[in-house]
Amino acid sequence: MSSAAQITCGTCSGSVTVEKNSWHHTTVQWDADTLARCTELSGPDTAVHNIAGMRDCPRLREAIKRAVVGGEFGDLD
């Protein structure tokens, strides 16, 4: 079962759509505003949508983890 939620970073207030199909599968949809706000991801690689060059945002990863543990995605297998 797939479940999606809007997750907001507590540091930059950027918001992403996160879909969880299982504990191990996470899909994150970024928009231009959030990419511009995030100090971890803003830069030349994201400006041209070079996905291979994108880094990870540890603060957003923690926000997603809290949402999963808090049950925002329902029961995950």
Side-chain angles (χ1 to χ4, degrees):
M1 180 172 104
S2 175
S3 183
Q6 280 298 117
I7 305 296
T8 301
C9 177
T11 301
C12 73
S13 299
S15 182
V16 294
T17 301
V18 178
E19 184 175 320
K20 292 289 289 177
N21 292 319
S22 70
W23 282 101
H24 303 286
H25 178 269
T26 305
T27 301
V28 179
Q29 282 189 293
W30 297 85
D31 62 22
D33 180 59
T34 299
L35 285 172
R37 288 174 181 261
C38 181
T39 58
E40 290 289 325
L41 295 176
S42 60
D45 288 337
T46 57
V48 295
H49 304 290
N50 178 4
I51 294 172
M54 285 187 178
R55 299 176 311 265
D56 185 27
C57 177
R59 291 177 292 277
L60 184 60
R61 187 177 347 112
E62 282 301 313
I64 293 168
K65 187 178 186 180
R66 282 191 302 276
V68 170
V69 171
E72 285 193 45
F73 296 96
D75 292 328
L76 298 174
D77 293 334

